[in-house]
Amino acid sequence: MGNRYEYAGFWIRTAAALIDSIVLMLITSPLLILWYGFDAYWKAAETSDFLGVGEVLISWLLPLVLTIVFWLKVQATPGKMLFSLKVLDELTGQPLTIQQSLIRYVGYFVSACALLLGFIWIAFDAKKQGWHDKMARTVVVRDSGKTVESMIMDSKSLGN
């Protein structure tokens, strides 16, 4: 692979995730308001009431589909694209498979459920992997002068 990469760290990934959250909110909130109406949507938001099938489709299924499509087509979500980051297979440096994408997405919930420790792990891990990355065998990278292949070789030599 001709591109040069380094592992993306905690803070840049946090910034990318915040941007992604804002983008998703700007997509899902108007759709939920259209589906349920302004008053019903805000009343449910205030009381944390479950709205129904529209909420499942718009708040849960749509973000899953959008995120996985972005990972498969451009190897990044909009926030990661803004910072020139890519999500790649840990071993090959290639784009993710559908299976890896699904595992990584589900892994977000695992990373979050343990007091966000799965995300904080990124700050201390040699490959800057969160638990969701480890589960799916993925890495998040940005251009630095190192090839993915050299990073793979470096990580193998660290294990010896």
Side-chain angles (χ1 to χ4, degrees):
M1 183 180 297
N3 293 336
R4 298 169 165 218
Y5 297 107
E6 71 176 81
Y7 298 119
F10 176 81
W11 290 112
I12 195 165
R13 290 178 64 178
T14 299
L18 288 172
I19 291 166
D20 289 337
S21 296
I22 292 168
V23 169
L24 282 172
M25 182 188 70
L26 291 173
I27 294 168
T28 59
S29 292
L31 290 173
L32 287 165
I33 290 169
L34 283 172
W35 189 294
Y36 291 107
F38 187 82
D39 291 336
Y41 171 71
W42 286 109
K43 182 180 178 192
E46 289 174 358
T47 60
S48 299
D49 288 343
F50 176 67
L51 290 171
V53 69
E55 183 176 12
V56 172
L57 293 173
I58 296 168
S59 295
W60 293 89
L61 189 58
L62 182 62
L64 178 141
V65 170
L66 288 175
T67 300
I68 289 176
V69 167
F70 271 98
W71 285 341
L72 294 174
K73 297 294 181 188
V74 293
Q75 293 79 54
T77 53
K80 286 182 178 57
M81 290 166 56
L82 185 65
F83 294 109
S84 300
L85 305 180
K86 288 189 175 192
V87 183
L88 301 173
D89 180 276
E90 172 185 20
L91 299 176
T92 67
Q94 296 300 307
L96 305 187
T97 64
I98 292 172
Q99 180 179 358
Q100 280 178 301
S101 298
L102 287 168
I103 292 169
R104 189 171 198 274
Y105 195 88
V106 170
Y108 277 165
F109 297 97
V110 175
S111 291
C113 283
L115 302 173
L116 303 177
L117 286 176
F119 296 114
I120 295 168
W121 196 266
I122 295 165
F124 304 100
D125 189 79
K127 291 185 184 179
K128 307 299 182 197
Q129 290 175 297
W131 293 352
H132 53 287
D133 293 308
K134 292 192 177 293
M135 290 171 64
R137 297 180 183 237
T138 61
V139 290
V140 179
V141 296
R142 65 177 169 171
D143 197 318
S144 75
K146 293 184 180 180
T147 64
V148 172
E149 289 84 0
S150 71
M151 291 168 46
I152 292 168
M153 294 306 295
D154 289 347
S155 68
K156 286 181 180 177
S157 66
L158 287 175
N160 292 333

